[in-house]
């Protein structure tokens, strides 16, 4: 019965309109949250929000979502939903204009993420590469970092040990690495990594991020600047995974990302509270 209703609804509404409706709904939730109508201070509300987000993502991507790719399909939308609500909760003193701009930006990100994920889901369903694939791979890395920043900044606002903060951010990076491997696997220049190799590569990213967070845990700095530094390490790790799979690791690659990471480290050290 539920499947029949789902098929009927999804057949009548094109995917781009489903994505737009999903983004508008997410923006409305953020707006109500920012106005105090939905106070996300109860843990059960977050679980409910994540469940609704996951279910709605499956609905808008139907019929390309299967049990094999469901985790990858919901990863970024759920992270964005969590990061957006936590950012508005932990940074309440921002101006109204900036808050409204952030809500619009989060909604637009939700729409773009659904579009990009749709490319990968369609490719997996057809088992053939489509022209938009390379553009989608490039944007997927950018979107991962953009989504990670507000979520990590919110993690740094929790009054817990730096070890737990580092562990939480490193686990997120581990899953992002699995996602990056998933989106890269249809590249003809990339090697087909097995399960053990995927886990090993993701553990390397986990270690990079965990060590980086612990390394600067003693530095007093704004959560947002720490999030930028952490995201630069995550970006290096994810890019390293992609470069490894394509056999593109060289000195230029290492120096380029080392410079980016050092830039945000210096920025964090200069602008201390």
């Amino acid at each position: 019965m539920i499947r029949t209703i789902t098929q009927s609804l999804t057949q009548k509404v094109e995917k781009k309109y489903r994505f737009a409706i999903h983004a508008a709904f997410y923006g409305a939730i953020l707006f109500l949250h920012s106005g105090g109508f939905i106070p996300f201070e109860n843990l059960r509300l977050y679980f409910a929000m994540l469940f609704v987000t996951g279910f709605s993502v499956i609905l808008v991507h139907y019929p390309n979502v299967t049990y094999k790719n469901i985790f990858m399909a919901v990863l970024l939308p759920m992270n964005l939903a969590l990061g957006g609500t936590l950012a508005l909760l932990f940074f309440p003193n921002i101006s109204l204009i900036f808050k409204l701009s952030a809500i619009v930006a989060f909604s637009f990100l939700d729409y773009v993420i659904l579009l990009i994920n749709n490319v990968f889901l369609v490719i997996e369903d057809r088992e053939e590469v489509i022209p938009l694939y390379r553009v989608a791979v490039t944007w997927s890395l950018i979107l991962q970092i953009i989504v990670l920043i507000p979520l990590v900044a919110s993690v740094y606002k929790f009054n817990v040990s730096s070890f737990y903060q580092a562990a939480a951010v490193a686990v997120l990076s581990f899953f992002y690495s699995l996602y990056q491997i998933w989106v890269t696997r249809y590249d003809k220049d990339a090697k087909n990594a097995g399960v053990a190799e995927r886990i090993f590569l993701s553990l390397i990213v986990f270690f990079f991020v965990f060590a980086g967070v612990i390394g600067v845990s003693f530095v007093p700095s704004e959560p947002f600047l720490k999030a930028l530094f952490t995201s630069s390490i995550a970006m290096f790790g994810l890019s390293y995974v992609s470069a490894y799979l394509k056999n593109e690791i060289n000195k230029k690659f290492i120096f380029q990302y080392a410079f980016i990471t050092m830039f945000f480290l210096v920025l964090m050290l200069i602008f201390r509270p």
Side-chain angles (χ1 to χ4, degrees):
M1 179 66 176
I2 296 177
R3 185 175 181 179
T4 303
I5 295 173
T6 302
Q7 288 177 335
S8 178
L9 288 173
T10 53
Q11 286 172 357
K12 292 180 180 178
V13 183
E14 292 185 31
K15 276 189 175 181
K16 61 181 179 180
Y17 298 122
R18 293 186 231 164
F19 300 160
I21 293 170
H22 188 278
F25 178 75
Y26 172 55
I29 294 295
L30 288 180
F31 179 77
L32 292 173
H33 168 47
S34 65
F37 298 102
I38 305 179
F40 277 101
E41 297 175 359
N42 190 319
L43 188 61
R44 287 178 294 182
L45 282 176
Y46 283 100
F47 282 116
M49 177 195 64
L50 292 176
F51 174 80
V52 171
T53 301
F55 179 77
S56 60
V57 168
I58 295 171
L59 189 64
V60 298
H61 280 303
Y62 183 87
N64 299 118
V65 176
T66 67
Y67 71 93
K68 294 181 180 180
N69 57 31
I70 184 173
F71 179 79
M72 299 304 173
V74 304
L75 179 63
L76 287 186
M78 290 178 73
N79 275 236
L80 179 65
L82 187 60
T85 50
L86 286 175
L88 290 176
L89 177 67
F90 286 127
F91 299 92
N93 297 324
I94 57 177
S95 66
L96 178 62
I97 294 177
F98 188 85
K99 189 177 294 186
L100 292 175
S101 300
I103 292 172
V104 172
F106 281 129
S107 300
F108 179 72
L109 276 176
D110 183 72
Y111 180 76
V112 175
I113 288 170
L114 294 175
L115 280 176
I116 297 299
N117 273 349
N118 183 63
V119 174
F120 302 130
L121 293 172
V122 169
I123 290 173
E124 188 170 61
D125 183 53
R126 297 180 182 178
E127 296 186 346
E128 62 178 0
V129 177
I130 61 178
L132 290 173
Y133 173 68
R134 288 195 176 276
V135 176
V137 170
T138 302
W139 272 100
S140 69
L141 178 59
I142 297 172
L143 289 172
Q144 286 178 78
I145 301 306
I146 293 175
V147 170
L148 192 63
I149 291 172
L151 187 53
V152 172
S154 300
V155 169
Y156 287 139
K157 294 288 286 186
F158 282 99
N159 188 24
V160 295
S161 167
S162 298
F163 176 85
Y164 294 115
Q165 291 177 343
V169 177
V171 168
L172 285 172
S173 302
F174 176 88
F175 290 133
Y176 277 39
S177 176
L178 292 177
Y179 177 86
Q180 187 65 20
I181 295 170
W182 177 67
V183 305
T184 308
R185 66 191 182 124
Y186 284 101
D187 192 321
K188 63 180 181 179
D189 298 325
K191 65 179 293 189
N192 188 17
V195 175
E197 191 171 14
R198 295 177 196 175
I199 294 175
F200 178 72
L201 289 171
S202 299
L203 284 174
I204 291 177
V205 178
F206 177 98
F207 173 76
F208 284 163
V209 175
F210 185 86
V213 176
I214 291 296
V216 298
S217 60
F218 62 92
V219 179
S221 182
E222 295 294 335
F224 181 73
L225 292 178
K226 273 193 174 183
L228 288 177
F229 170 71
T230 305
S231 297
S232 69
I233 298 177
M235 182 171 65
F236 167 72
L238 297 175
S239 300
Y240 176 86
V241 168
S242 294
Y244 169 81
L245 294 174
K246 298 178 185 179
N247 195 28
E248 294 178 348
I249 298 177
N250 50 46
K251 291 182 179 179
K252 180 181 177 181
F253 171 86
I254 299 297
F255 284 125
Q256 178 182 348
Y257 282 97
F259 174 79
I260 294 172
T261 303
M262 288 301 298
F263 173 79
F264 285 109
L265 176 61
V266 171
L267 196 68
M268 187 182 67
L269 293 174
I270 293 175
F271 295 99
R272 291 191 291 178

